[in-house]
Amino acid sequence: VVLAAYLGDAKKRKGLAGRSLVDLGSGTGVVALAAAALGAEVVATDRGDALAGLADLAARAPGVAVEALDFGDAPGPLVAAAAPTIACAADVLYPGYDFDVVPLLWRTLAALPSVDEFYLAFSHRDENSTPVTQLLMDCLRPQFPTISVCYRVENLVGHHSVIRFKK
């Protein structure tokens, strides 16, 4: 929800219209729907076992296509044909046990040469949040040398951030 809120910010609305976006680990599809509503052509991706709900959602949402994509795998034909310039992932890193996801996510992003912006939303759930996020930033820095925290919010659940990675 935090990444969807950030994308809905008035400054970002102009930046999404007519662009192609891949939502990595789309889950419920909230970010994909928000981006499509703001004018982006979106391919929502997730593991094969998580696609049933996304496919149903995409059938009702213009501008959203769905394709299976596990982190670490090469993109499929829909993502490849879309040649996305923006990639995003929300709540795909979970502190304390997801260090193994970092190189897989890095590999997936490396297989998307058209992507020049990547947005990562995550929650600061506990003291283990920082090392996982720092590892991802270190892995992505050669591909995306400009890294900035572009959005922060605090609520009852905790602190949430969106990091922008730019070529």
Side-chain angles (χ1 to χ4, degrees), residues 8-113:
D9 183 309
K11 293 179 213 165
K12 285 302 298 170
R13 284 188 191 132
K14 284 184 177 180
L16 288 179
R19 294 191 62 193
S20 179
L21 179 144
V22 60
D23 185 10
L24 302 169
S26 193
T28 62
V30 170
V31 173
L33 287 174
L38 296 169
E41 290 296 318
V42 179
V43 180
T45 67
D46 215 319
R47 298 182 317 257
D49 60 349
L51 286 183
L54 275 179
D56 185 49
L57 188 70
R60 298 184 193 130
V64 178
V66 172
E67 184 167 69
L69 179 62
D70 285 343
F71 292 157
D73 292 350
L78 282 177
V79 173
T85 57
I86 302 172
C88 60
D91 292 324
V92 297
L93 298 178
Y94 294 96
Y97 65 89
D98 264 357
F99 284 97
D100 57 330
V101 171
V102 170
L104 299 174
L105 181 55
W106 170 80
R107 219 176 305 152
T108 297
L109 286 165
L112 297 166

Side-chain angles (χ1 to χ4, degrees), residues 125-147:
R125 290 181 175 87
D126 58 31
E127 68 279 352
N128 294 316
S129 299
T130 302
V132 173
T133 308
Q134 187 62 52
L135 177 62
L136 182 63
M137 290 188 330
D138 292 345
C139 287
L140 293 180
R141 195 173 310 278
Q143 184 180 358
F144 297 97
T146 304
I147 301 173

